[in-house]
Amino acid sequence: MKELIKEPESQVLVRFQDCDPYGHLNNSKYLDYMLNVREDHLINTYDFNVFKMAKEEGRAWVVGHHEMTYVRPVFVMEKVIVQSRLIDYTEKYVQAEMVMYDLHKTHVKAVLWTKFFHFDIKAQRGKEHSEDHLKLFKNLLVPIGEEKIEKRGRALTEELKAVRFQ
């Protein structure tokens, strides 16, 4: 198997309609931007199209849990980088982390953890992952040390500071 990109990233432009009257990105829109980028990463980096799979195979992943920490504001027409990675998985779920940075990756803007549960659409119940999926997840896993998202946000911020001052 060829080397997989475990932490793909994409540039996104923050749009006017997604911001409040003060020019800050609305809280709910962070979710939209980060989840859209993760979907793009799955399709473009791993050729893993969850929408096609839902339509053709009757299985999908549904959001079971979101957790986010906001570190710095994001402003209208600001370009940001969103990086995603798989940080945990079991037979029944995957957990992804999406990190939003400023354009130069000198500051963390926000961190999102989302747990997606594997789901049988026809039976309307949870479903275990296939062996192929578990093998892929094992190859993509990027373990992190923090168990609390606030600590993760601080740790990522400290990592960036350390890099800037080397």
Side-chain angles (χ1 to χ4, degrees), residues 48 50 53 59-63 94 116-118 129 133 137:
F48 196 87
V50 296
M53 190 178 298
R59 54 193 171 111
W61 283 263
V62 296
V63 172
V94 292
F116 300 92
F117 288 88
H118 198 214
H129 291 120
H133 285 142
F137 301 155

Side-chain angles (χ1 to χ4, degrees), residues 67-69 111-113 147-153:
E67 199 170 350
M68 185 178 292
T69 186
V111 181
L112 170 65
W113 288 349
E147 293 183 16
K148 299 262 185 211
I149 197 162
E150 295 87 359
K151 287 185 179 181
R152 179 67 173 156

Side-chain angles (χ1 to χ4, degrees), residues 117-133:
F117 288 88
H118 198 214
F119 193 73
D120 183 317
I121 297 168
K122 196 175 203 177
Q124 290 291 294
R125 62 179 175 82
K127 180 178 179 78
E128 290 191 356
H129 291 120
S130 69
E131 287 301 317
D132 287 342
H133 285 142

Side-chain angles (χ1 to χ4, degrees), residues 39-58:
E39 289 170 7
D40 291 347
H41 289 167
L42 290 175
I43 292 169
N44 298 328
T45 307
Y46 310 120
D47 194 30
F48 196 87
N49 188 328
V50 296
F51 305 107
K52 182 178 176 186
M53 190 178 298
K55 186 176 181 180
E56 294 177 0
E57 300 175 30

Side-chain angles (χ1 to χ4, degrees), residues 10 12 32-42 82 84:
S10 299
V12 179
D32 292 343
Y33 281 91
M34 289 196 224
L35 289 176
N36 288 340
V37 165
R38 183 61 181 169
E39 289 170 7
D40 291 347
H41 289 167
L42 290 175
V82 178
S84 73

Side-chain angles (χ1 to χ4, degrees), residues 75-126:
F75 298 99
V76 67
M77 298 307 290
E78 181 176 358
K79 290 180 182 174
V80 295
I81 300 293
V82 178
Q83 183 180 61
S84 73
R85 62 183 66 85
L86 178 69
I87 61 170
D88 191 19
Y89 71 94
T90 68
E91 292 79 20
K92 293 206 174 196
Y93 74 81
V94 292
Q95 185 172 19
E97 175 182 78
M98 284 68 69
V99 181
M100 185 180 285
Y101 297 95
D102 68 308
L103 183 60
H104 305 291
K105 288 182 72 176
T106 56
H107 296 97
V108 174
K109 299 288 192 166
V111 181
L112 170 65
W113 288 349
T114 300
K115 198 175 274 190
F116 300 92
F117 288 88
H118 198 214
F119 193 73
D120 183 317
I121 297 168
K122 196 175 203 177
Q124 290 291 294
R125 62 179 175 82

